[in-house]
Amino acid sequence: ETMLTVGVFLVAYVVASTGLPVALHHAAHGVISPIHVALSFFCALNALISVWEIALGVYIRRIQAEYKDLNEKYSKNPLKAVMLFFYHPLSMGDMFSLKFWTKVWSTYSLYDPSYQNNESFGFFIDVGNGWTTLVPSLLWLYAMTDHSLISARTLGCIGIAKFWQELYGTVIYALSYFFNNRHKGRGVVEVILFVGLTNGLWFVFPLLGIYASVTMIQTDSFAVYL
């Protein structure tokens, strides 16, 4: 019997994937660093989203079919589709299934149909991010605490590439979204919550990551987390 929903899983994931690195960092270095907490949260979240973005590329035809069905039912009330997704039961098998997480994109496509269009910028920038930032995100999550794995300067160089890509992609996507009037017909609160807030994370935290990367390169040390 399923005891878990998508919403509960996402909250538990964020708490655990941020809390564990912070606890290990404190055990290793005796400090809780705000910038380490923030980047642990973001890198862990980006790792999860990267898996979903890989699913976006691999199962785009499935997403298009799901979107067509959802759009027929919820085009005038996409918020209902979002809430149904968050309350959707989640089994252990679903948790590790790329096919299950296609629901993220078919639901989000109610707010931005470009995500079910494999010819769009939004589609390709996210699929690209999935394949190219998953490993760097996990590396950062680990190496911010274990300083023996890789030099600070090298990690900073990787960070510049990773965080700039995420920042640039988010800015261009946002410009594309509003320039093409894909926000028209949607409530202001809905656009802020499901487009502005979610994508805003990939603007604010990459800026912080770039700052940390530059500091690491300049000092060749991990002092920014201590």
Side-chain angles (χ1 to χ4, degrees):
E1 182 180 352
T2 300
M3 301 293 292
L4 200 61
T5 64
V6 168
V8 171
F9 164 75
L10 293 177
V11 170
Y13 175 85
V14 168
V15 171
S17 64
T18 304
L20 181 59
V22 170
L24 292 173
H25 193 79
H26 182 266
H29 304 290
V31 296
I32 295 179
S33 160
I35 193 168
H36 174 263
V37 173
L39 290 177
S40 292
F41 159 78
F42 179 70
C43 287
L45 179 60
N46 190 75
L48 176 63
I49 303 300
S50 292
V51 173
W52 294 354
E53 289 169 333
I54 290 170
L56 174 64
V58 172
Y59 292 113
I60 183 58
R61 301 302 175 212
R62 178 186 179 94
I63 290 165
Q64 290 168 342
E66 289 175 352
Y67 166 73
K68 183 179 179 181
D69 182 57
L70 287 173
N71 195 46
E72 289 174 356
K73 295 178 181 177
Y74 305 110
S75 60
K76 295 183 179 179
N77 188 14
L79 181 59
K80 183 175 181 180
V82 172
M83 298 310 297
L84 287 172
F85 172 67
F86 280 123
Y87 283 103
H88 195 290
L90 184 71
S91 68
M92 286 296 293
D94 291 336
M95 201 180 299
F96 298 99
S97 167
L98 288 181
K99 284 186 177 180
F100 177 83
W101 293 111
T102 58
K103 292 178 174 62
V104 171
W105 305 111
S106 53
T107 304
Y108 185 77
S109 291
L110 294 171
Y111 288 94
D112 185 0
S114 71
Y115 273 88
Q116 56 82 45
N117 177 4
N118 53 288
E119 297 181 353
S120 72
F121 175 83
F123 170 83
F124 271 102
I125 189 64
D126 272 23
V127 172
N129 279 344
W131 287 105
T132 60
T133 68
L134 175 57
V135 172
S137 293
L138 295 174
L139 174 64
W140 260 70
L141 196 59
Y142 182 81
M144 284 189 294
T145 294
D146 185 348
H147 302 163
S148 66
L149 179 67
I150 190 173
S151 74
R153 188 162 286 159
T154 302
L155 187 64
C157 290
I158 294 170
I160 288 287
K162 163 184 146 57
F163 291 117
W164 173 254
Q165 174 180 317
E166 292 162 349
L167 175 65
Y168 177 79
T170 299
V171 170
I172 299 302
Y173 167 72
L175 289 173
S176 170
Y177 181 80
F178 289 104
F179 182 82
N180 290 296
N181 293 318
R182 293 199 290 269
H183 62 291
K184 293 292 181 67
R186 304 298 181 195
V188 174
V189 174
E190 285 183 276
V191 171
I192 290 173
L193 282 176
F194 300 116
V195 179
L197 182 61
T198 52
N199 287 281
L201 295 175
W202 272 260
F203 179 82
V204 173
F205 286 97
L207 282 176
L208 185 63
I210 290 170
Y211 163 77
S213 298
V214 170
T215 303
M216 291 163 65
I217 292 169
Q218 290 177 335
T219 64
D220 196 18
S221 78
F222 293 92
V224 68
Y225 308 117
L226 302 176

